[in-house]
Amino acid sequence: MVASFALLLFGWTSAQAQSLEKFTVAGWSQPISEITNLLAEPDKGFFKAKGIALDYVPGNGGGAAIQTMLAGQADIAFTDPASLYLALDKGEKLIAIYNIYPQNVFNVVAPKASGIRSAADLKGKRIGVYSLASGTYQNLLVLLHQVGLGQKDVSIQVAGLLNFAPLMQGQLDATAATDTGLLVARAKGLSDVNVIEVRDQLNLPSDLFVVTQATYEAKRPLLKRFLAAYRDSAAWMIAKPEEAARIAVTRAINGRDEAVNLDIIKLRNASSVSPTTEREGLGRFDLEALQKGADTFRSLGLIAKPLDMAAVVKSDLIPPKDGAP
């Protein structure tokens, strides 16, 4: 079903496909509105313009995206730094080639009445996470670590994807979430909350494009064209969020409400830029942040090996800021 859905979404006619080179992205998510710049390919043709027939394999988390790629079912993984660190720690030979979202979109949300205003105030509190394999959990640990706290200092409770419900019902003191999760919760009635942004403690990127070392070495021209097309699609969504929101109505599985699409797309656009990308162009890395994240994960015991991110991050395939080929 997934394969047929992807084919329906991104497939081309036989005549078109013969002149294009297939390239498959392993996603961390289903086809949701925040990745409308990818979903809009049948409408906008950014990848077709670079000679690429784009395919997208939905996933359930960044770790799943990497596994899909390692299984040979995709050329590239749309994944997160935590999943990259964990895979590298297991000995996988991977290369990060594009910084999709330089901004950390994770947060911790608490009712104002709880008195929780900063990360230090979380000590002794009940905090919800999506799951123990999620970015909400990992980023919560990072946040606590930055203020000298650990897992033993709080009560972490798995609340599932609907973790705002137990917060609103008073079963949790705070919950770890993302910017888009908070937006949807507010639309459903959540109010009077304090939001602690993880990026204020450690602005670790939210998502990266990652390939195997073998793919990096063997498919450099194709990867370069893919990144140029992706950059063009991201720049389009930043420049024309209203058009993207309209397209998401028919392309995203959660895109029925155009106004909500627009809000989500604007959040994703904001996470796509940083001082580094403003200077050097979309997709550029902040190596210091990625290294600090790797060191923090090791300090937390989430990974065992020291990681040299300078050997993992390669920026030579990222298109230049001026858009020249």
Side-chain angles (χ1 to χ4, degrees):
M1 180 178 291
V2 167
S4 62
F5 176 80
L7 184 62
L8 175 64
L9 189 62
F10 291 109
W12 306 93
T13 65
S14 297
Q16 287 173 318
Q18 286 174 1
S19 63
L20 302 175
E21 193 168 2
K22 184 179 178 181
F23 191 92
T24 302
V25 176
W28 68 266
S29 71
Q30 297 298 310
I32 55 179
S33 55
E34 62 187 75
I35 60 167
T36 295
N37 59 309
L38 284 176
L39 306 182
E41 175 61 8
D43 308 279
K44 304 300 295 184
F46 294 111
F47 296 87
K48 183 181 179 184
K50 301 295 185 183
I52 292 172
L54 183 67
D55 196 7
Y56 181 85
V57 179
N60 184 24
I66 289 178
Q67 289 305 313
T68 297
M69 177 184 68
L70 291 175
Q73 298 171 15
D75 299 286
I76 200 166
F78 190 132
T79 189
D80 59 278
S83 297
L84 173 61
Y85 297 151
L86 293 169
L88 291 169
D89 191 52
K90 293 177 182 176
E92 301 293 350
K93 297 185 183 302
L94 303 175
I95 302 291
I97 63 172
Y98 189 97
N99 197 0
I100 302 172
Y101 304 135
Q103 304 290 347
N104 193 319
V105 302
F106 290 90
N107 52 47
V108 173
V109 181
K112 290 183 177 179
S114 70
I116 299 172
R117 295 179 176 82
S118 70
D121 296 330
L122 292 170
K123 185 174 183 179
K125 303 299 184 180
R126 302 165 299 167
I127 309 169
V129 297
Y130 293 168
S131 77
L132 297 182
S134 71
T136 55
Y137 171 71
Q138 294 155 347
N139 276 272
L140 172 61
L141 294 184
V142 167
L143 179 67
L144 294 172
H145 178 77
Q146 298 302 306
V147 296
L149 298 177
Q151 186 166 346
K152 67 182 184 305
D153 297 307
V154 298
S155 174
I156 297 177
Q157 301 181 21
V158 175
L161 292 175
L162 301 177
N163 61 339
F164 278 102
L167 179 71
M168 296 169 74
Q169 295 164 5
Q171 298 168 13
L172 295 170
D173 301 303
T175 197
T178 64
D179 55 356
T180 52
L182 176 59
L183 184 151
V184 172
R186 280 175 162 158
K188 293 182 178 179
L190 181 70
S191 61
D192 298 323
V193 293
N194 292 322
V195 181
I196 305 167
E197 301 287 356
V198 178
R199 65 172 173 261
D200 292 339
Q201 297 293 333
L202 177 60
N203 199 12
L204 193 63
S206 295
D207 286 287
L208 316 164
F209 277 130
V210 171
V211 295
T212 64
Q213 186 173 326
T215 296
Y216 173 76
E217 294 171 353
K219 297 185 178 182
R220 292 169 59 85
L222 177 58
L223 292 172
K224 192 171 184 178
R225 285 189 284 125
F226 169 79
L227 293 185
Y230 183 85
R231 187 276 313 273
D232 290 348
S233 74
W236 160 75
M237 194 160 79
I238 290 170
K240 298 185 177 180
E242 291 83 5
E243 182 185 5
R246 288 194 298 273
I247 289 175
V249 171
T250 56
R251 297 298 180 188
I253 61 171
N254 63 337
R256 294 182 181 178
D257 190 322
E258 188 174 323
V260 173
N261 292 343
L262 182 59
D263 287 340
I264 289 174
I265 286 167
K266 286 181 175 179
L267 283 175
R268 244 346 119 253
N269 287 344
S271 68
S272 300
V273 298
S274 68
T276 299
T277 66
E278 288 178 356
R279 288 193 311 270
E280 303 175 25
L282 291 174
R284 293 287 171 172
F285 291 97
D286 183 343
L287 183 58
E288 182 180 350
L290 281 171
Q291 186 62 58
K292 187 175 181 182
D295 295 343
T296 298
F297 268 60
R298 190 168 182 236
S299 297
L300 291 168
L302 295 174
I303 59 175
K305 302 175 184 175
L307 300 178
D308 178 9
M309 296 309 294
V312 175
V313 172
K314 303 294 183 183
S315 299
D316 57 315
L317 302 180
I318 300 174
K321 183 179 180 181
D322 62 9

